[in-house]
Amino acid sequence: MSAGTDHKLFLGARLKRMRRDRGLTQTAMAADLGVSPSYLNHIERNQRPVSAQLLLRLAATYDVDLRRLGQEGPTGEAALSEVFADPLFQGLAVPRHELLHLVDEAPGAAEALLRLYSAFADQRDRARAAVIEGEPSAGGPSPADWVRDHIQSRANHFPALDALGEAVHASLDPTVTGDGFAVLARNRLATRHNLAVRVMPAEVMVEWTRRFDPHRRRLLLSETLSHASRAFAIAYQLALAEHDGELNALAEAARPPDDTSRALLKVSLTNTLAAAILMPYAPFQRMAEATGYDIARLERRFAVSFEQVAHRLTTLSRPTARGVPFFLIRIDQAGNVSKRYASGAFPFARFGGGCPRWRLHDAFATPGRIVTQIIETPDGGRWFTLARTVERQGYDGAGEHHGLAIGLGCELRDAHRLACARGLDLTSPEVTLIGPACRLCHRHPCAERAAPPVDRALTVDDWSKSVSPWPFASA
């Protein structure tokens, strides 16, 4: 097979889905792209590859990010492999080529299957918890999972909120950033909305870090919040005060399945708008590019925290000013995932935990320091990652402290744009091979393995001992 053949792109299913999402017929799209309807029909049926010229026309006509067009969406092979690794499907042994066919030829059906499994897994977990608590189980999808999936379906990018954030920032004073900007926002709440901000003792706030009293028109903030967290809380309240209608409309347009999901989505959208007010898109993206995505400098310029900068970096998908497509994951010391966002591909398991070979977990041993690593996932993808611990919001310094770790990463091909990667050999063959959760991972041998893969037979004998506690057959 020639090199040219190796690089042919067959994107029929993705092109068809993109056309249908825009409500276009094949004839209409063919006219937009300057090709014949029959040629477009051949492409959608994967009988013809997508040419470079057609890709450029797609980008120009429909504002398509070519970096994402060829990537798996939220329903990729890895996600479906994880679903079929559940013991529920033991004995089916669905081969990889069938999963790829489902993803490429029937992405809607694949997404439906993933949603159904997500609802099932959530209900199963609720039932197990109910048994432990001695209570009847409650069905229904998880609002947290629904909101997470909705945000990821938008690649964590909400252009309308970025535009509103820039407008609010400019109306205050576009020349002011940092702590001075938080003062301006606080004054805006007082003068325009008759709303006072008060910092209260921790013993008064009890478990609350932020609370709005609508009767006395007061925003109460816990003294345990850092300056960056206080500024974010003020920006959050300003977002609600000035754009509550737009936030409600965006939440309703997503058609959430229940009131809890709608409320949780509105909170997430308000957080996004607050970040856009504190870190307006254009100046934030320009400085990120100019400094090589130097998180420390971005923290100082906009008077925000490491986590706030890292989260904002996953939202830079404006077509005219794109940033590096980052993914972000936040875990506690037990490995529980509490945040998972990506502006591009996301290389890790959706339902399982992480891999102990990834240095995200090592960050807890060096609090406050950034650790970097080049990793390779089972599909051969290579990623540059950095990790650092952060304080939990509202930690008052008393008692036992259990912090969190933030993992931020991008595809290795983009790592040369990052200041923290300068001086590293990004072409070195020495990378850390990682996998998804152990029950899904086929890497062998692995001394860190905690459980055998569910779809492999164990190879146990009393004549030898592997470095892995769970040796298994290769297929």
Side-chain angles (χ1 to χ4, degrees):
M1 182 178 289
S2 68
T5 304
D6 288 340
H7 291 84
K8 286 183 178 180
L9 285 177
F10 291 92
L11 304 174
R14 292 178 176 85
L15 192 61
K16 183 189 299 182
R17 192 168 189 179
M18 186 177 72
R19 175 174 61 79
R20 289 177 175 174
D21 287 345
R22 287 165 170 76
L24 298 173
T25 64
Q26 279 190 342
T27 302
M29 176 176 263
D32 288 345
L33 298 176
V35 298
S36 69
S38 61
Y39 178 66
L40 182 60
N41 181 52
H42 283 307
I43 290 176
E44 288 191 356
R45 294 166 61 187
N46 280 334
Q47 293 176 350
R48 295 280 184 87
V50 179
S51 66
Q53 292 83 357
L54 187 59
L55 282 175
L56 293 175
R57 287 182 208 159
L58 279 169
T61 306
Y62 301 118
D63 192 23
V64 175
D65 182 0
L66 297 182
R67 294 177 302 184
R68 295 185 58 207
L69 185 61
Q71 294 173 348
E72 294 179 352
T75 314
E77 179 205 348
L80 288 179
S81 296
E82 190 171 358
V83 168
F84 283 103
D86 191 289
L88 176 72
F89 301 108
Q90 190 168 7
L92 288 181
V94 180
R96 180 172 181 265
H97 73 269
E98 289 188 14
L99 297 182
L100 290 173
H101 181 79
L102 183 60
V103 170
D104 288 336
E105 299 299 326
E111 176 65 19
L113 176 62
L114 191 60
R115 290 187 187 183
L116 183 63
Y117 176 79
S118 181
F120 160 77
D122 181 70
Q123 188 169 355
R124 181 174 59 185
D125 290 342
R126 288 171 184 239
R128 288 171 177 170
V131 170
I132 293 172
E133 297 295 329
E135 300 174 353
S137 62
S142 162
D145 285 341
W146 183 89
V147 170
R148 180 181 291 174
D149 288 345
H150 173 72
I151 291 173
Q152 191 51 49
S153 73
R154 301 285 302 272
N156 200 23
H157 180 55
F158 295 88
L161 297 181
D162 280 327
L164 289 176
E166 287 179 316
V168 171
H169 190 100
S171 68
L172 289 167
D173 188 341
T175 65
V176 177
T177 57
D179 293 330
F181 184 79
V183 173
L184 292 177
R186 185 170 180 165
N187 292 339
R188 170 84 149 251
L189 286 174
T191 57
R192 182 175 293 189
H193 304 286
N194 189 31
L195 196 159
V197 179
R198 297 285 185 269
V199 178
M200 306 296 289
E203 55 267 23
V204 174
M205 295 294 287
V206 194
E207 84 253 40
W208 307 107
T209 58
R210 168 182 58 82
R211 194 169 188 181
F212 177 56
D213 181 352
H215 303 292
R216 296 184 179 181
R217 304 294 298 167
R218 296 193 306 174
L219 174 63
L220 307 178
L221 305 179
S222 172
E223 66 182 351
T224 62
L225 291 177
S226 65
H227 287 294
S229 294
R230 292 180 192 178
F232 195 91
I234 293 171
Y236 182 97
Q237 197 64 46
L238 185 59
L240 282 177
E242 303 201 346
H243 294 292
D244 189 61
E246 291 93 329
L247 291 165
N248 282 326
L250 279 173
E252 286 293 337
R255 296 161 61 182
D258 52 60
D259 290 340
T260 303
S261 298
R262 181 182 296 102
L264 188 58
L265 176 59
K266 184 182 177 184
V267 169
S268 296
L269 294 174
T270 309
N271 281 328
T272 299
L273 180 51
I277 291 172
L278 290 176
M279 298 168 277
Y281 193 104
F284 183 87
Q285 188 271 342
R286 284 196 300 267
M287 184 173 180
E289 285 286 345
T291 63
Y293 294 82
D294 188 323
I295 296 179
R297 289 188 60 183
L298 290 166
E299 284 182 73
R300 291 191 293 269
R301 172 66 62 86
F302 295 96
V304 290
S305 68
F306 180 94
E307 182 173 351
Q308 289 166 359
V309 171
H311 195 157
R312 186 63 168 137
L313 289 175
T314 68
T315 68
L316 302 182
S317 297
R318 180 175 287 177
T320 56
R322 296 189 189 277
V324 168
F326 283 103
F327 67 82
L328 176 146
I329 187 170
R330 186 180 72 182
I331 65 168
D332 62 19
Q333 293 191 51
N336 299 306
V337 178
S338 53
K339 273 188 180 181
R340 192 193 301 264
Y341 296 107
S343 57
F346 195 93
F348 301 111
R350 175 174 176 170
F351 300 104
C355 176
R357 294 170 60 84
W358 186 24
R359 294 193 67 190
L360 170 61
H361 305 273
D362 294 346
F364 291 108
T366 56
R369 293 179 56 189
I370 290 178
V371 293
T372 62
Q373 186 180 23
I374 298 174
I375 60 175
E376 181 178 303
T377 46
D379 61 359
R382 292 194 171 188
W383 309 79
F384 179 83
T385 69
L386 59 94
R388 206 201 82 168
T389 56
V390 296
E391 298 279 0
R392 285 184 182 271
Q393 189 182 73
Y395 174 64
D396 60 6
E400 191 172 1
H401 178 220
H402 300 287
L404 301 166
I406 298 289
L408 192 67
C410 65
E411 292 187 71
L412 188 59
R413 65 186 180 188
D414 292 315
H416 68 279
R417 298 165 63 181
L418 311 184
C420 60
R422 290 170 186 162
L424 301 179
D425 183 5
L426 301 178
T427 63
S428 172
E430 296 183 8
V431 298
T432 302
L433 305 180
I434 71 165
C438 289
R439 66 186 180 87
L440 307 172
C441 182
H442 297 153
R443 291 201 185 280
H444 185 70
C446 176
E448 287 85 3
R449 178 173 290 280
V454 297
D455 58 346
R456 293 288 190 271
L458 290 177
T459 54
V460 181
D461 65 62
D462 55 1
W463 293 93
S464 58
K465 178 178 175 59
S466 168
V467 296
S468 170
W470 305 103
F472 55 89
S474 59

